[in-house]
Each structure stands twice: as C-alpha cells, then as structure tokens.
Amino acid sequence: MASTLDAVRASLKRRFSPSRYLRHSNGLRRVAIGGAGSEWVVSRALCAYAVFECPALSAARRKAFLDTAVRRWAPFPDPQFHAEWVGRKAMVWAWSKAVVGTLGGGVDDDPAAATPRRILPESIFVGSVDDAGAVLLAVAEGVEGRVWRERVLVASRWWRQSPDRVEWNEFLRGSGLPAIDDVPIPEPAPLSARGWSLTGGDHLAGLALRYRSQALAAIAGLVTFSLMVPIAGAGRALWIESRIEAEIAAKDEGLQRIMRAREAAERDAARAAGLLALRPPARQSELLPAVLPLLGQNVRILEWRLPTPDSLEVTLALPNPDPLALVQAWQDSGRFRDVTADLGRSAGEVTVRGRILARSAEAAP
C-alpha cells in the first residue's frame, strides 16, 4: 500500500510540475520531466551578473527602478533578467532574449519545450547561500566563481575552464578579498530540484510561488485520497480545494492592502519632508540676540532684511567699520556661513550678508 501511494504521489507531482530544460550554448537539454508546461534554466555561460542597491521604494516602484537600471547596465540590447532580493539589494542575472531564444537544438518529443512558462538562471539551482567567503563551482558549462558577503552574492564570474592563480586573485581582489597562493579545486555543482534563492524570498512573487506550491501539494494529497474513497473522497477533495483557493486569494488581498498602505505612508512622508524643508533655519527672535554680540559698541542697525528664508542682510552704521573683522566674527559665531561685508555709500555704513545655519541640537536650550 505504501509503495502504491508513493507511486501515485510521484505521478501527481510530475503532472503538476513543469518539465525543466537546461538552455546551454548548443541548445536544450531536458533535466526533469513534468506535465505542466516547461521552464528553462539558462546556463551561467549565457548570463551576466550584477548587484544593485535600491532606494526605499514601494514594490511597484522598486520593480520599475530595477527594470531601468538593468537596461542601462546589461551588455545586451534586449535583456531579460531574474532578480533575487536581500533587503534593498537585488542580485540580478541577465541574458539576451534573442540569443537565448534562437540557440539551435531542442527536444522534439515535447512541443511545450519551445514555449517556457518562465526562464531562470542556472546559478540559483547550484551551490548554496553562504554568509561570507569565496567558492569555485563546476557548473554545466565551465566554472563559476562566487564571493558572498552577509548572504549576498556580491560578485560572480564565469570561466570556460578553471582560472589560473592570476585570474582567481584578480577576481578576489576585485571583490575586496586578499589574494591566495592556490586556486581552489572546483566543487561539483549539479542542478538541484529547487533553487536556493526560491526558498526564502520576501517579495510578492516569492510569496505567491510558495503558496501555490503548498496548494498543489495539498491538491495532490486530496486526489490520492479520492482514488481510495471514490465518492466521499472526491466530494471532500473539491470542498478542501475550494478552501485552499479562498485562503490563497485572502492572502493575496492582504498583501495588496499592505502594499497600498505602505505607498500611502511613503507619499505622506515625502509631503511632510517637503513642508519641513520650507521652515527657515532660525526664527527672528533667535537671530537678533545672536547678531547683537557680534556688532560691538556704538553700532546702529539701519536695515534688517531676510532676502530668503535662510539668508540675512543687515545694514549697519558704526565708526571706523572693519569689514574683515565683521566677517570673521559672524563666521566664528557658528550661526552663519558664506559671510560678506561691503562698505556703503555713506561714511561708516557697511552691509553684512550671510547664510543662516540651523542651531545644533546640543546648543539648543
């Protein structure tokens, strides 16, 4: 009985999983058989790799930002790419749509092979995530050097054959690591059934993929049960299947609400920052007590103006004015910068101008 159930589960898993093909330099090679269309794994030899730092944006704006950044960086005029996120950092593998789509060779017995549901890079199906360090992997074509830092693949380079010591040390130094005496032996890196980066993604696509896999596994188990109990099992399978689909829809709706709330919060924060930027660095009641000690004795203020919210212009009348001394005193006060002083047309008249500096938190009362 156990062997029969295992065989049924394996059959259902193949039915609900896509056939997987490795897209290498000479065409397609099937690496897994399934019954739900096909997906391609693009050889590392056909991919370029880079890491992008994304500002704090909503999910939709983050995708648009990355699309633009990849188009500017990619060494192809028609890039397609796959990204894996760690915080604000995107690990990106890109390939040429035309080159990958027109490579010769294929699998004649599977018409779906030519129209994959999705295309993913080979790198996420070989090796594993590491906290730090360098590793050399033997991939489907050639070898791939990797440098990890804080679980981010900060550097990746492909060679047709194992690099010599000079090439390997250039790669290490370019990634911020010291040179070594011996090149490591490439570690065998066969394709795994599930990508290392697809198990812990925190973006919306990763969540949707994870929930769908759980739903398909539950459906497969229910179909197995219905085969053993034809009438009651089939009815229960349909009921539970509808429950699962409803839960998936509810989770998706909740994620959409969170995304909308975050976008609204970001808009409000930007609006508040814009309003705060309109405030002058200091109030008039603060400026006058700050300026008076800088003027000395027997000084009259003829005119007091704020041409802009962050600048002050004061016209003074004083005996024997010394513009340089006034400029020095205002600069040293810590409340002004870019200070200038010009003698006026009348004797003893001088105009002092300066940019107002905000008072530091430590100096505030």
Side-chain angles (χ1 to χ4, degrees):
M1 178 63 73
S3 60
T4 302
L5 290 177
D6 291 340
V8 172
R9 291 192 184 97
S11 175
L12 291 172
K13 182 177 180 180
R14 285 194 301 270
R15 178 179 179 183
F16 288 106
S17 299
S19 294
R20 180 172 293 167
Y21 294 87
L22 175 65
R23 195 52 150 161
H24 52 80
S25 300
N26 297 321
L28 284 175
R29 176 167 62 86
R30 185 162 55 197
V31 295
I33 299 176
S38 67
E39 68 178 15
W40 288 359
V41 176
V42 181
S43 168
R44 179 63 181 85
L46 302 176
C47 295
Y49 179 79
V51 178
F52 294 89
E53 182 84 22
C54 181
L57 299 173
S58 64
R61 293 181 180 178
R62 187 171 69 171
K63 182 180 183 302
F65 167 85
L66 192 59
D67 287 342
T68 302
V70 171
R71 283 197 299 270
R72 292 177 177 175
W73 154 78
F76 326 107
D78 57 342
Q80 288 182 314
F81 69 94
H82 175 79
E84 291 292 335
W85 291 89
V86 178
R88 294 184 182 179
K89 293 182 180 179
M91 302 179 287
V92 174
W93 294 264
W95 54 87
S96 168
K97 179 179 179 180
V99 171
V100 170
T102 57
L103 288 175
V107 180
D108 296 334
D109 61 348
D110 186 358
T115 55
R117 295 194 314 178
R118 63 177 180 174
I119 303 177
L120 298 169
E122 176 191 10
S123 293
I124 67 173
F125 292 98
V126 297
S128 59
V129 179
D130 202 350
D131 291 325
V135 65
L136 187 63
L137 301 177
V139 293
E141 297 179 280
V143 296
E144 179 188 13
R146 295 178 174 180
V147 173
W148 293 93
R149 188 174 298 122
E150 297 179 352
R151 303 184 69 80
V152 175
L153 185 60
V154 297
S156 171
R157 184 174 175 183
W158 177 83
W159 292 275
R160 189 171 301 279
Q161 58 188 5
S162 184
D164 57 30
R165 187 176 66 176
V166 173
E167 293 174 324
W168 181 248
N169 283 331
E170 285 180 354
F171 172 65
L172 294 181
R173 286 194 295 268
S175 307
L177 296 180
I180 60 175
D181 294 333
D182 298 315
V183 178
I185 298 175
E187 300 177 9
L191 286 175
S192 63
R194 189 173 184 181
W196 48 257
S197 60
L198 300 181
T199 60
D202 59 351
H203 48 82
L204 185 59
L207 290 173
L209 180 61
R210 184 160 70 248
Y211 293 145
R212 184 163 297 277
S213 298
Q214 294 170 353
L216 291 176
I219 293 172
L222 292 172
V223 172
T224 302
F225 182 76
S226 68
L227 292 175
M228 298 173 62
V229 188
I231 299 175
R236 183 173 176 80
L238 293 175
W239 176 73
I240 296 181
E241 180 180 349
S242 66
R243 287 280 304 277
I244 292 173
E245 293 294 340
E247 289 180 7
I248 293 175
K251 290 180 183 294
D252 288 341
E253 183 180 355
L255 288 173
Q256 292 297 328
R257 286 199 301 269
I258 292 172
M259 290 173 58
R260 288 194 295 269
R262 180 176 177 181
E263 291 178 356
E266 290 175 347
R267 288 195 300 270
D268 292 342
R271 189 178 300 112
L275 294 175
L276 289 174
L278 299 176
R279 297 187 309 172
R283 298 188 296 270
Q284 294 268 18
S285 59
E286 296 178 22
L287 288 176
L288 188 56
V291 169
L292 289 178
L294 308 176
L295 304 181
Q297 302 295 324
N298 302 320
V299 178
R300 289 185 299 118
I301 297 177
L302 302 179
E303 186 178 6
W304 178 285
R305 292 195 320 117
L306 274 78
T308 63
D310 64 340
S311 65
L312 175 64
E313 180 179 312
V314 181
T315 301
L316 309 171
L318 68 165
N320 301 320
D322 185 350
L324 292 178
L326 286 170
V327 169
Q328 189 65 41
W330 283 47
Q331 289 279 163
D332 293 344
S333 69
R335 298 304 306 272
F336 303 94
R337 65 180 176 87
D338 303 333
V339 181
T340 61
D342 300 315
L343 293 175
R345 296 181 179 180
S346 301
E349 183 178 305
V350 63
T351 300
V352 184
R353 302 177 181 88
R355 307 285 290 186
I356 305 168
L357 295 176
R359 193 173 186 182
S360 65
E362 293 80 0

